[in-house]
Amino acid sequence: METRDWNEECAVVGVYNVQNAAVSAYYSLFSMQHRGQEATGIASSNGEKLNCIKNHGLVTSVFCDETLSKLKGFSAIGHNRYSTAGEDSMADAQPVFARYDLGEIAIVHNGNLTNAKQIRNELIAEGSIFQSHMDTENLIHLIARSKKEALIDRIKEAVLRVEGAFCFVILSRKKMFVIRDRHGFRPLSLGEIKNPDGSIGYIVASETCAFDLVGAKYVRDVKPGEMLVFSKEGMQSHSIMPANPYPCVFEYVYFARPDSHVFGRLVYNIRKAMGRELAKENPIDADLVIPVPDSGVAAALGYSQESGIPFELGIIRNHYVGRTFIEPTQQIRELKVKLKLNPIRELIENKRIIVIDDSVVRGTTSKQIVKILRDCGAKEIHMKISSPPTISPCYYGVDTPSVGELISARMSDEEVCKFIGADSLSFLSLEGLKRSIGVEDYKFCQACFDGNYIVEIKE
Ligand code: SF4
């Protein structure tokens, strides 16, 4: 899935008790750039004052030595945005910063609040004025309007009013608060950084690949329903709502980096296992297994190892394709595939090819891939997908097409195969997906595959 049909869903980071915390936040955001490329931002605190810089663009284009030098302090939070709720405007970039009766506060959020409209309407009826389209702004208002005295109590009260998917990282001048929703839809991990003076600093991030870059040690995941409070006294954990974990299985299929540990497991191993299961479920005689890079690589390796059919990098991805600044019409999406993916004719010509991709969303990308392989003289093209057909949109923090645009919601597998022009098409079954993850007590959100939503959407 290489034309951002199923867009990533933001990254958050929080760093506490680390010298120049903003620099660690910067590197963490850099390592999680795949989760959002629209906008990025960092807020930091030196104990007296919060500073916040955010802008459209990639982490490396928004931040430089000069901007980072303005973000002094021992704590920092950061965000990479891919628009989920809200619109693509500067007002919708994060962190969300506000001044209120207790001082200054900044919030970053990964997820999507399912009762956001309801709460916003209530707040507007009571006189609140909103600056952005983001559901995240609701939380600022709920905190600012609370009658409780202590910030921690205000945050608890506010968080208990919102529903859906959220990982919040909240920065005040002296403290940092981290909250994960009761279902733990989106990943959030806790790490420690050993400071030069021997003291311990803390980091929370959407993916553990962020820890590797800043030399942090993974400690554990933030638990569903848990609030962590970081202060000069160290870290405190509070269970603020009953946990009912349903983490997002699509993190394993596509979103997360393969070198991240997500929900306690290495993503790379799970993707390879998906490829192996796919080979067991869908054996076929062929000359080569090739991945759609990059997200299909690990599954293709697994398929090749299980089936004994040689693996080749038959399609090369251009990583340097930027935005086209044109509306994403069907025509432009097709051009984007050609800009990004180029097959190696010498490997493809006269071969029976198994192509492994992680998912089929609109079908446009797969159709283009089949076409470029046919143009290279492939004898047979067998498209194999390392996840089940995606039939329902996500309401828990992922920017997905509407149900009408999801090809498998409208067509049978045979019809999809005909549409994309492949000789055969097969998907991993839901049972195969479960076996790949390899846990006895499998309990994941898989609503985009089966349409069973754990949390209802309140309009
Ligand atoms: S609906 Fe799909 S993408 Fe959304 S949280 Fe559930 S599994 Fe993940």
Side-chain angles (χ1 to χ4, degrees):
M1 182 165 55
E2 285 302 319
T3 51
R4 301 289 157 249
D5 275 328
W6 199 273
N7 294 303
E8 293 87 345
E9 7 94 85
C10 306
V12 293
V13 63
V15 182
Y16 193 87
N17 195 36
V18 172
Q19 209 183 4
N20 289 328
V23 174
S24 296
Y26 165 83
Y27 284 115
S28 301
L29 291 175
F30 175 76
S31 71
M32 298 188 290
Q33 188 74 81
H34 60 290
R35 296 182 78 88
Q37 300 94 41
E38 293 285 336
T40 187
I42 296 175
S44 71
S45 174
N46 58 9
E48 304 295 323
K49 190 178 178 323
L50 295 194
N51 287 299
C52 182
I53 294 175
K54 55 184 176 177
N55 213 334
H56 283 300
L58 301 177
V59 176
T60 47
S61 61
V62 170
F63 292 105
C64 59
D65 286 348
E66 196 193 329
T67 40
L68 285 172
S69 71
K70 292 177 185 156
L71 294 168
K72 295 251 179 292
F74 63 92
S75 60
I77 62 173
H79 189 264
N80 283 340
R81 172 177 172 76
Y82 197 100
S83 52
T84 47
E87 292 178 2
D88 177 19
S89 78
M90 258 321 286
D92 290 348
Q94 297 191 28
V96 181
F97 171 80
R99 292 192 179 86
Y100 70 124
D101 61 330
L102 295 185
E104 296 175 326
I105 195 168
I107 299 184
V108 291
H109 169 209
N110 178 19
N112 192 45
L113 305 181
T114 50
N115 63 345
K117 275 190 193 155
Q118 198 184 52
I119 289 192
R120 178 172 288 226
N121 289 343
E122 283 170 29
L123 287 165
I124 289 172
E126 289 162 14
S128 289
I129 298 168
F130 282 82
Q131 293 180 355
S132 76
H133 301 89
M134 277 183 296
D135 52 0
T136 315
E137 206 182 342
N138 288 1
L139 202 76
I140 291 259
H141 283 275
L142 291 171
I143 292 169
R145 295 171 69 98
S146 169
K147 301 281 182 283
K148 304 267 185 200
E149 269 185 32
L151 178 56
I152 182 171
D153 295 327
R154 290 189 180 200
I155 293 174
K156 273 187 202 168
E157 188 183 74
V159 163
L160 290 174
R161 288 216 41 209
V162 299
E163 292 168 10
F166 51 85
C167 290
F168 289 120
V169 188
I170 303 174
L171 191 66
S172 69
R173 284 175 292 194
K174 309 271 188 214
K175 295 183 179 176
M176 185 170 84
F177 304 84
V178 175
I179 307 107
R180 191 164 171 222
D181 71 76
R182 69 181 80 228
H183 302 296
F185 286 112
R186 308 263 66 88
L188 191 65
S189 297
L190 168 70
E192 283 181 356
I193 297 174
K194 197 159 184 207
N195 289 316
D197 65 1
S199 66
I200 295 294
Y202 297 96
I203 178 168
V204 290
S206 300
E207 286 189 35
T208 60
C209 61
F211 297 170
D212 301 337
L213 205 53
V214 300
K217 190 176 102 209
Y218 170 80
V219 176
R220 65 174 173 88
D221 282 2
V222 179
K223 294 176 202 149
E226 184 180 27
M227 174 195 256
L228 297 177
V229 183
F230 299 88
S231 67
K232 280 282 170 242
E233 284 73 50
M235 184 187 85
Q236 278 185 336
S237 164
H238 304 258
S239 173
I240 60 168
M241 53 190 118
N244 183 18
Y246 274 92
C248 167
V249 80
F250 222 95
E251 291 283 349
Y252 288 140
V253 172
Y254 173 68
F255 300 135
R257 263 176 51 162
D259 52 340
S260 283
H261 286 79
V262 167
F263 313 132
R265 286 180 171 71
L266 181 63
V267 174
Y268 180 81
N269 286 344
I270 291 180
R271 292 210 181 132
K272 262 181 89 175
M274 288 170 178
R276 279 196 294 271
E277 287 297 330
L278 193 57
K280 285 183 205 160
E281 286 185 350
N282 299 284
I284 195 163
D285 201 17
D287 302 312
L288 279 186
V289 176
I290 67 169
V292 175
D294 295 325
S295 49
V297 172
L301 265 174
Y303 193 102
S304 167
Q305 288 173 2
E306 182 65 33
S307 64
I309 300 170
F311 169 96
E312 291 284 358
L313 288 170
I315 302 173
I316 302 302
R317 182 178 173 192
N318 181 349
H319 287 90
Y320 306 101
V321 178
R323 294 185 56 186
T324 52
F325 300 103
I326 309 172
E327 286 299 302
T329 59
Q330 194 71 7
Q331 219 180 351
I332 294 303
R333 268 190 221 111
E334 287 171 8
L335 173 66
K336 275 184 171 176
V337 175
K338 286 187 192 161
L339 285 170
K340 273 192 176 174
L341 302 176
N342 193 34
I344 301 177
R345 177 178 285 275
E346 287 77 356
L347 291 175
I348 307 293
E349 209 162 20
N350 291 321
K351 300 270 176 39
R352 296 167 301 161
I353 309 282
I354 294 173
V355 186
I356 309 285
D357 204 353
D358 60 273
S359 51
V360 174
V361 181
R362 290 184 175 88
T364 324
T365 309
S366 305
K367 188 176 180 153
Q368 282 297 303
I369 288 166
V370 170
K371 183 169 184 308
I372 58 177
L373 292 173
R374 288 241 187 267
D375 290 348
C376 280
K379 206 154 55 173
E380 291 173 20
I381 300 169
H382 303 282
M383 187 67 93
K384 299 203 176 286
I385 308 300
S386 58
S387 69
T390 44
I391 55 161
S392 290
C394 176
Y395 299 107
Y396 307 138
V398 181
D399 181 28
T400 55
S402 64
V403 69
E405 292 176 282
L406 297 172
I407 192 164
S408 288
R410 294 184 279 116
M411 295 186 193
S412 67
D413 293 358
E414 293 70 33
E415 288 168 329
V416 176
C417 182
K418 202 167 165 207
F419 173 83
I420 66 175
D423 294 288
S424 74
L425 167 71
S426 42
F427 293 86
L428 185 64
S429 69
L430 271 169
E431 281 307 312
L433 181 68
K434 281 184 198 174
R435 282 194 299 274
S436 314
I437 293 168
V439 288
E440 274 178 20
D441 50 344
Y442 177 95
K443 199 170 150 230
F444 283 82
C445 176
Q446 53 183 31
C448 45
F449 300 131
D450 65 10
N452 293 326
Y453 295 96
I454 309 301
V455 180
E456 67 172 304
I457 319 305
K458 293 182 181 153
E459 290 300 324

